[in-house]
Amino acid sequence: FAKTDARETGSNNNKVDLFAVHGSTDAPSVNIFGLGIYLTNVSYGDLSNYISVPAWRNWIVITTPWPNFSVVGIWSADLRGLGGNSAVVFASGFLDPSANQNGESFGLFAALANGTVVELPQLYGDEAQNALNKVMDENNEQVAVVSDINLEQNYPNPFNPSTSIKFTVPTSEFVSLKVYD
């Protein structure tokens, strides 16, 4: 893929100018977000416009769009020390290597203008949840990854006339919740 008017430097010494490339043939259209990053419905072969983001520690979250929302993955993107530079963040490899002649597994990479390419580390478990809690969507609402079903005790208990019940369900499944008196 080639980008017209690609930049060799950033437009601000305190920011990094990034654009994204969806380069994974078996991955669905995705949303890409982080601190100051929000791209929607990015499909294979798409090249986004440039985004200028602060040169600080950031995270890149890739999800499938609603209504089939699911988290593809969360990656750490430490941009400290890259102020005034430009980069391309690109996805490469296969989500299902076994269906693609055992090709390389899906990964997220960053290429700097000087030719340096680094693989961004994918986060898992508590580290991924902590990073996700720091990233807000465009409505400033927290997004959460839930991997199991959890129903907590209501509070207050006993109650009159109302109570609160916290619960979590996997984000990639449809559920029905019924509350009985």
Side-chain angles (χ1 to χ4, degrees):
F1 303 110
K3 175 136 179 101
T4 304
D5 298 322
R7 300 177 186 166
E8 292 187 21
T9 61
S11 56
N12 181 313
N13 285 335
N14 297 319
K15 294 188 175 187
V16 181
D17 290 354
L18 304 173
F19 74 90
V21 177
H22 186 315
S24 182
T25 58
D26 72 336
S29 293
V30 295
N31 293 338
I32 303 168
F33 59 99
L35 301 176
I37 302 167
Y38 195 75
L39 303 170
T40 59
N41 292 312
V42 181
S43 298
Y44 173 71
D46 285 351
L47 284 77
S48 76
N49 291 325
Y50 272 99
I51 302 169
S52 291
V53 297
W56 57 27
R57 186 166 185 200
N58 210 326
W59 298 270
I60 296 174
V61 179
I62 299 179
T63 66
T64 56
W66 193 260
N68 299 319
F69 175 84
S70 66
V71 175
V72 175
I74 302 167
W75 288 264
S76 177
D78 193 344
L79 305 176
R80 295 175 293 193
L82 294 179
N85 287 298
S86 64
V88 179
V89 176
F90 63 96
S92 186
F94 299 106
L95 288 178
D96 185 2
S98 66
N100 292 284
Q101 300 176 353
N102 293 318
E104 292 295 322
S105 294
F106 184 88
L108 205 60
F109 303 84
L112 303 177
N114 67 7
T116 301
V117 176
V118 295
E119 184 171 5
L120 300 179
Q122 187 168 0
L123 305 178
Y124 298 96
D126 289 343
E127 190 176 18
Q129 186 65 58
N130 291 337
L132 193 55
N133 289 339
K134 294 176 185 174
V135 176
M136 307 298 228
D137 72 9
E138 67 183 351
N139 299 316
N140 290 327
E141 297 172 1
Q142 287 190 339
V143 178
V145 175
V146 177
S147 59
D148 56 78
I149 296 171
N150 186 27
L151 178 63
E152 297 183 21
Q153 178 65 46
N154 66 305
Y155 179 83
N157 186 12
F159 66 92
N160 184 15
S162 66
T163 189
S164 295
I165 304 170
K166 290 185 177 183
F167 65 93
T168 58
V169 294
T171 58
S172 62
E173 297 182 23
F174 292 100
V175 298
S176 176
L177 178 66
K178 297 177 182 178
V179 179
Y180 297 93
D181 184 353

